[in-house]
């Protein structure tokens, strides 16, 4: 914002001056909101534990082998992502920013649904992420050996990264539920 204001908007054409003004307003608002940056719930009905699988299943396309590798890399990063989110959620909880008690049952259920099915258990069906990945790589025009290698790497990532990440979310939610109150609404913040 300081750099922007060092410029003279009078020297800009109309369209650029309008962009300058819009950027200035956006930055002023972002700076004003900064003090509230930790006043959000990391885990609720729309938290990372839900948005990540939704992104992978609904948005992440796998049209090439590189796309499939990118998908697997995202799976491999789930544990780290959840650890980071849990760290932020725990810090917020220390400041009294904790979802209401009723939210935690949803978090546990939603996280549990991600790690239900193969390869997490011996159930009759694949887990949602494995089913999605299997379907997406099934449509790839690659050698069967590459497809199998990608699938094996995805299963390993599910077991070594996704499982521990989601187990940690479930454990955290069960612990925080004990501290949560029935108060809900933004007013409690």
């Amino acid at each position: 914002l300081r750099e922007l204001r060092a410029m003279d908007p009078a020297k800009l054409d109309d369209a650029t001056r309008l962009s300058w003004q819009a950027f200035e307003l956006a930055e002023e608002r972002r700076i004003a909101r900064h003090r509230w940056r930790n006043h959000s719930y990391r885990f609720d009905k729309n938290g990372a534990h839900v948005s990540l699988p939704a992104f992978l299943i609904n948005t992440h396309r796998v049209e090439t082998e590189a796309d499939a590798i990118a998908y697997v890399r995202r799976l491999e990063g789930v544990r780290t992502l959840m650890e980071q989110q849990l760290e932020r959620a725990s810090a917020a909880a220390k400041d009294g920013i904790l979802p209401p008690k009723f939210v935690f049952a949803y978090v546990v259920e939603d996280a549990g649904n991600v790690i239900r099915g193969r390869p997490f258990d011996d159930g009759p069906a694949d887990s949602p992420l494995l089913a999605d990945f299997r379907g997406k790589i099934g449509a790839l025009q690659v050698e069967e050996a590459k497809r199998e290698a990608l699938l094996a790497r995805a299963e390993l990532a599910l077991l070594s990264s996704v499982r521990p990440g989601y187990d940690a979310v479930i454990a955290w939610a069960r612990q925080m539920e004990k501290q949560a109150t029935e108060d809900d609404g933004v007013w409690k913040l």
Side-chain angles (χ1 to χ4, degrees), residues 8 20 47 52 59 62 73 77 97 115 119 126 128 130 147 172 178:
D8 181 3
W20 187 97
L52 176 84
T59 305
V62 176
R73 285 188 179 148
I97 301 163
I115 55 174
D126 286 344
L130 183 58
R147 187 177 290 112
W172 178 86
K178 297 172 189 172

Side-chain angles (χ1 to χ4, degrees), residues 42-61 70-85 110-111 114-115 120 128-129 132 136 157-158 161-166 169:
R42 297 287 157 193
F43 297 99
D44 60 10
K45 284 298 282 178
N46 301 306
H49 65 293
V50 175
S51 62
L52 176 84
F55 165 76
L56 288 171
I57 292 168
N58 299 322
T59 305
H60 194 296
R61 293 186 303 201
Y71 191 114
V72 172
R73 285 188 179 148
R74 286 186 167 97
L75 293 176
E76 292 168 345
V78 168
R79 183 179 196 163
T80 300
L81 171 67
M82 294 307 165
E83 287 170 353
Q84 292 168 343
Q85 293 297 311
D110 292 343
V114 173
I115 55 174
F120 305 112
L129 289 171
D132 179 60
K136 287 176 177 175
L158 287 164
S161 179
V162 175
R163 177 68 182 243
Y166 276 77
V169 168

Side-chain angles (χ1 to χ4, degrees), residues 16-41:
T16 307
R17 189 170 34 260
L18 182 61
S19 293
W20 187 97
Q21 292 167 335
F23 184 79
E24 180 185 42
L25 181 60
E27 287 305 292
E28 287 171 346
R29 289 179 177 170
R30 189 177 65 80
I31 290 167
R33 285 191 315 263
H34 183 74
R35 71 184 210 145
W36 306 110
R37 69 192 176 281
N38 294 320
H39 282 68
S40 62
Y41 302 141

